[in-house]
Amino acid sequence: MNRWFDIDYLKELLDTLTRNRSRTILTGFGVFWGVFMLLALTGGAHGLKELLAANFEGFASNSGFIVADQTSKAYGGYQRGRTWTMDLSDIEAIRAQVPEADIVAPVAAKWSATALKGEQTYSASVKGVTPPYYDIESPKLKYGRKLNEMDEHSKNKVCVIGKRVYDNLFPEGGNPCGQFIRVDGVEYLIVGMDISAGNISIGASADRTVNIPFSVFAGVYGRGDEVELIGITAKPGAKVKDALEKARLVLARRHTLSPDDKQAVESFNAEAIFTLMDNLLRGVDILILLVGLGTILAGAIGVSNIMMVTVKERTTEIGIRRAIGATPRMILGQIMHESMILTVGAGLLGLVFSVLVLSGAELAATKDGVLTAHFQIGFWAAVASVAGLAALGVLAGLAPAMRAMRIKPVDAMRDE
């Protein structure tokens, strides 16, 4: 019969552990704290990753942006401080001359516009975009669809609105698609509602922006082929940094700018930010793993030490057991079982407590009834923790158990 199912044997194990209550509590707390630290920090790191990733929500990780600014150097007969603008022909030139570039999309923008719906008013930004731009800054649609090629070619007066625009113009809620809003005196049919809430924005955040087709923007605001900024993604295996630098040189040649004037052609490398964030979080993961494992190992060493002390104090008892017929295997099993009960029991308490703490963190991360980040550990992580604790309990009890096996009845009587 398996001794784990022997009630008297289990009572004996628990009685042994409670005999040295203070030591048992102290050692169990070490294991409890180690498990709690490891799981709570792991869950916390996972939630932190999601919160940081939310700041870049919608942006392609291999993207970059170019904006025209005043020149800082005199060049080609022009004085410094000259203003210049990009246009649609620059898009075609970059596509043709920068092999590292995959998607090259223009954006026209007006950063301050008045949006109206009935008596509701909101100060929004307007972006004129082409469909390829959605592969660079992708909307998270709750209602409707994105702008498409038909909208661009037919110059349809349609729009996709951000969440703040929706909240202010439609306080009653509901699906806004199929309804009209007026932006700077022009009516647009709403075809989509974007709920992206990233804190990183190019010109204006997505939640306060009204997106319309680029061709419509050019006609409504009289911008012609003028481009406010250019979005670029790199091809697989290529670096955004190289694509941006080559695109900058292409623009410098086309608009008579100094090749060294980086102020005139400003760029933003989103890929570098993503890489920095990934490296930072990878370092945090390693630190959390080291701290958690170190704490658990310290607890396991404590378990081993207390079991060594227990074995020493129980030398006479073990000797008597040997004298009346207990085999070395029975002594070994008892010590190992005591170690496993102490380790696994304290570890499970740490597991439960970490789950409760992470549940509180998720409640704090809930905004408007929507969970913004998941802090909880996964089921298999919990299973692996319990399995690891059992293995740790075996290792912690191994040295004390081997010492107990070497105790002879004659030696035990002599100590007595």
Side-chain angles (χ1 to χ4, degrees):
M1 179 180 176
N2 193 324
R3 302 184 78 192
W4 283 112
F5 297 99
D6 188 339
I7 300 299
D8 293 332
Y9 176 68
L10 293 176
K11 286 182 179 179
E12 184 182 346
L13 291 179
L14 294 175
D15 179 65
T16 303
L17 291 173
T18 54
R19 240 183 275 163
N20 297 296
R21 188 173 301 168
S22 59
R23 291 178 187 166
T24 300
I25 292 175
L26 183 62
T27 305
F29 180 77
V31 177
F32 163 86
W33 185 250
V35 172
F36 168 72
M37 287 285 290
L38 178 61
L39 297 181
L41 290 176
T42 301
H46 184 265
L48 177 62
K49 287 180 182 179
E50 290 192 4
L51 289 175
L52 290 176
N55 291 322
F56 296 89
E57 186 176 25
F59 280 96
S61 59
N62 63 335
S63 62
F65 301 86
I66 294 176
V67 180
D69 201 353
Q70 287 186 338
T71 60
S72 62
K73 296 180 179 180
Y75 185 78
Y78 293 98
Q79 296 182 345
R80 59 175 296 179
R82 174 170 65 96
T83 59
W84 65 284
T85 58
M86 300 181 291
D87 55 46
L88 289 178
S89 64
D90 292 324
I91 303 296
E92 298 304 323
I94 293 173
R95 287 172 179 165
Q97 300 177 42
V98 181
E100 292 83 358
D102 185 12
I103 297 171
V104 184
V107 177
K110 183 182 180 186
W111 306 126
S112 179
T114 301
L116 299 171
K117 174 65 172 70
E119 297 181 355
Q120 306 297 328
T121 305
Y122 183 70
S123 179
S125 295
V126 181
K127 280 185 181 179
V129 299
T130 58
Y133 182 74
Y134 286 134
D135 290 325
I136 300 175
E137 185 181 358
S138 180
K140 183 179 180 181
L141 297 175
K142 182 176 182 180
Y143 299 110
R145 62 171 177 83
K146 304 175 185 178
L147 302 179
N148 56 36
E149 293 289 350
M150 183 65 71
D151 298 324
E152 177 66 24
H153 292 305
S154 301
K155 298 183 179 180
N156 296 331
K157 288 187 171 62
V158 294
C159 68
V160 175
I161 62 175
K163 189 175 185 303
R164 287 192 189 179
V165 180
Y166 168 78
D167 290 340
N168 283 271
L169 298 187
F170 297 88
E172 71 282 359
N175 188 347
C177 296
Q179 300 189 53
F180 288 87
I181 62 172
R182 186 178 293 271
V183 181
D184 287 343
V186 179
E187 282 197 341
Y188 296 92
L189 175 67
I190 300 175
V191 296
M193 197 277 276
D194 180 13
I195 59 173
S196 299
N199 293 324
I200 304 299
S201 61
I202 303 300
S205 59
D207 58 357
R208 61 176 301 267
T209 299
V210 176
N211 285 340
I212 63 177
F214 185 93
S215 58
V216 174
F217 186 99
V220 169
Y221 292 100
R223 298 284 185 90
D225 290 343
E226 184 179 327
V227 173
E228 191 81 21
L229 63 89
I230 297 174
I232 296 176
T233 62
K235 291 180 179 178
K239 294 184 177 180
V240 173
K241 179 179 68 173
D242 297 333
L244 289 175
E245 178 61 19
K246 290 186 178 181
R248 187 184 70 80
L249 294 175
V250 170
L251 293 172
R253 288 193 298 269
R254 288 176 57 81
H255 295 273
T256 320
L257 307 172
S258 170
D260 300 324
D261 191 353
K262 294 188 177 182
Q263 176 181 305
V265 187
E266 291 189 349
S267 62
F268 171 75
N269 187 348
E271 183 181 55
I273 304 298
F274 277 99
T275 301
L276 178 64
M277 184 178 71
D278 287 342
N279 291 337
L280 174 63
L281 293 177
R282 192 175 296 113
V284 170
D285 285 340
I286 294 173
L287 178 62
I288 287 172
L289 184 63
L290 292 176
V291 170
L293 290 179
T295 310
I296 290 177
L297 287 175
I301 292 172
V303 171
S304 182
N305 289 336
I306 194 173
M307 295 306 298
M308 290 287 280
V309 173
T310 301
V311 168
K312 185 176 182 181
E313 290 179 347
R314 294 164 57 193
T315 299
T316 302
E317 176 192 336
I318 293 172
I320 294 173
R321 285 175 179 272
R322 292 291 307 277
I324 62 177
T327 64
R329 182 176 179 181
M330 293 173 65
I331 301 298
L332 174 67
Q334 182 174 358
I335 301 301
M336 298 290 282
H337 291 162
E338 291 174 8
S339 176
M340 288 180 64
I341 288 176
L342 182 57
T343 307
V344 175
L348 287 175
L349 288 176
L351 171 63
V352 171
F353 189 61
S354 66
V355 169
L356 292 176
V357 171
L358 293 174
S359 296
E362 288 195 343
L363 288 176
T366 301
K367 184 178 180 182
D368 297 330
V370 178
L371 184 62
T372 58
H374 297 82
F375 287 88
Q376 281 294 1
I377 55 175
F379 171 77
W380 290 111
V383 171
S385 300
V386 175
L389 284 170
L392 208 57
V394 171
L395 292 175
L398 193 57
M402 296 301 294
R403 177 173 178 173
M405 284 180 61
R406 290 193 295 268
I407 296 176
K408 298 178 180 179
V410 175
D411 297 333
M413 296 303 178
R414 186 182 299 118
D415 288 344
E416 181 64 19

